[in-house]
């Protein structure tokens, strides 16, 4: 007779054996963010412990030898959910029949490069990738853009894949969300999971607005507002905001490399919430398509809002009160996104 434990194990193993694998693409797959990310995806931390995975790893041709090493390491992990690893430099292979696409790779800013030049290079990349999604991927594919400038890259990809719903595209501001949550937790002296409902508004750039006006902190068993828990308004409206805005640059200055570990964790958090939803009463921050929102944010941008997710569908948290301080910050980051979009669209039409 099976013990309860062995019976439960058999059920999990049987479900895993019966589930159809999903195809997950990671671009820039030879880079350091992907190196921190792929193991978590392959072992079931993102799409579920009973969901087999086919990992598709796309990078530029000169990086294929490095990709071969990544494939060997994934194989050597002996992960039961990982059914196949496909390294490629061809979009027709990389984007075929995808269930999820995590677009990490982008042109990094080089010394002496103007912001406009960086945007032009990335418009070309994400136009190509959007067209590949349109041509080869499932129409239900969930697309997460990580490569910077993430919001505008995401917008260009979505415009280049017109038959895939705009709602299927999002860009990563979860790293900023996690940074904001952690900074409040450290300041108050509580674990990070005792802080919820911070918000990142706008662009994943130094104009983003980390907002704690609606945050809730569980302070040793008592729930209170973020402002009351911190009890330092000048810090919350000053150093807190600049710390979150400039955290990526601070990591690069310290490490001489970008924040790969925390970015990979944020990607996992973002995609897992899309797949399984957000807890009741809690929201997360995501860069999503702005259309007809209640916060006066211009349409046709990828702008970070607070969202709740259910059945793989996000919904903006409406009705939050916005004071004059927040309005100014939200409008400032929106203005930057409008400028980025308009510049990108001129390149798109060229």
């Amino acid at each position: 007779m099976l013990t309860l434990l062995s019976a439960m194990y058999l059920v999990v193993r049987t479900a895993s054996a019966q589930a159809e694998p999903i195809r997950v693409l990671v671009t820039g797959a030879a880079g350091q963010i992907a190196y921190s990310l792929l193991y978590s995806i392959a072992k079931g931390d993102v799409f579920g412990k009973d969901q087999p995975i086919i990992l598709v790893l796309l990078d530029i041709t000169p990086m294929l030898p490095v990709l071969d090493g990544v494939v060997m390491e994934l194989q050597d992990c002996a992960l039961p959910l990982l059914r196949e690893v496909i390294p490629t430099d061809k979009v027709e292979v990389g984007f075929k029949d995808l269930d999820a696409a995590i677009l990490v790779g982008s042109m990094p800013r080089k010394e002496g490069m103007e912001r406009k030049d960086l945007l032009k290079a990335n418009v070309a990349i994400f136009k190509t990738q959007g067209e590949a999604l349109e041509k080869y991927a499932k129409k239900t594919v969930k697309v997460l853009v990580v490569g910077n400038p993430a919001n505008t890259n995401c917008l260009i990809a979505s415009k280049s894949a017109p038959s895939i719903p705009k709602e299927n595209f999002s860009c990563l501001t979860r790293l900023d969300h996690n940074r904001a949550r952690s900074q409040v937790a450290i300041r108050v002296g509580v674990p990070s999971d005792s802080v919820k409902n911070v918000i990142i508004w706008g662009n994943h750039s130094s104009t983003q607005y980390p907002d704690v006006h609606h945050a809730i902190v569980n302070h040793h068993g008592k729930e209170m507002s973020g402002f009351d828990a911190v009890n330092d308004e000048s810090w919350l409206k000053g150093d807190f905001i600049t710390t979150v805005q400039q955290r990526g640059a601070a990591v690069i200055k310290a490490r001489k490399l970008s924040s790969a570990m925390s970015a990979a964790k944020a990607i996992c958090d973002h995609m897992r919430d899309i797949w399984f939803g957000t807890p009741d009463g809690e929201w997360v921050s995501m860069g999503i398509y702005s259309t007809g929102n209640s916060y006066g944010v211009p349409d046709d941008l990828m702008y970070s809002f607070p969202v709740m997710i259910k059945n793989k569908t996000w919904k903006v948290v409406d009705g939050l009160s916005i004071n004059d301080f927040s309005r100014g910050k939200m409008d400032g980051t929106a203005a930057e996104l409008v400028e980025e979009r308009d510049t990108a669209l001129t390149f798109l039409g060229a």
Side-chain angles (χ1 to χ4, degrees), residues 57-208:
L57 310 182
L58 180 69
D59 215 313
I60 57 176
T61 305
M63 299 306 293
L64 287 179
V66 178
L67 269 190
D68 287 340
V70 174
V71 172
M72 284 187 268
E73 285 215 74
L74 284 166
Q75 291 169 341
D76 294 348
C77 288
L79 298 164
L81 292 175
L82 186 57
R83 299 301 161 82
E84 189 177 359
V85 186
I86 302 170
T88 185
D89 60 350
K90 296 178 173 59
V91 294
E92 62 270 25
V93 176
F95 287 85
K96 182 176 173 56
D97 296 334
L98 293 180
D99 296 282
I102 302 171
L103 308 184
V104 178
S106 64
M107 169 74 77
R109 193 171 198 159
K110 298 175 182 176
E111 190 173 349
M113 180 181 277
E114 296 290 331
R115 189 159 164 269
K116 190 174 180 180
D117 297 329
L118 179 68
L119 196 58
K120 185 173 185 178
N122 279 297
V123 163
I125 292 168
F126 283 86
K127 178 176 186 286
T128 299
Q129 294 189 350
E131 290 169 346
L133 285 163
E134 174 77 5
K135 188 171 182 180
Y136 301 111
K138 295 178 180 177
K139 301 307 177 189
T140 54
V141 64
K142 299 295 186 182
V143 183
L144 168 58
V145 175
V146 179
N148 287 317
N151 298 59
T152 301
N153 287 345
C154 187
L155 184 68
I156 295 304
S158 71
K159 286 181 177 294
S160 303
S163 70
I164 297 173
K166 290 281 191 292
E167 294 76 18
N168 288 23
F169 288 83
S170 57
C171 72
L172 190 74
T173 57
R174 184 59 169 270
L175 176 52
D176 310 302
H177 181 101
N178 289 349
R179 286 167 171 165
R181 191 178 185 185
S182 176
Q183 286 298 310
V184 171
I186 292 166
R187 190 79 173 186
V188 176
V190 297
S192 59
D193 63 356
S194 293
V195 180
K196 64 182 182 182
N197 295 355
V198 300
I199 302 169
I200 302 298
W201 298 100
N203 199 2
H204 175 63
S205 76
S206 60
T207 69
Q208 65 175 263

Side-chain angles (χ1 to χ4, degrees), residues 192-243:
S192 59
D193 63 356
S194 293
V195 180
K196 64 182 182 182
N197 295 355
V198 300
I199 302 169
I200 302 298
W201 298 100
N203 199 2
H204 175 63
S205 76
S206 60
T207 69
Q208 65 175 263
Y209 171 42
D211 179 7
V212 294
H213 284 92
H214 306 281
I216 297 170
V217 177
N218 187 321
H219 192 243
H220 307 302
K222 180 184 177 183
E223 282 206 341
M224 54 203 308
S225 76
F227 266 73
D228 288 343
V230 172
N231 195 27
D232 188 342
E233 185 171 354
S234 64
W235 180 78
L236 283 170
K237 289 185 171 181
D239 287 350
F240 163 72
I241 292 174
T242 55
T243 295

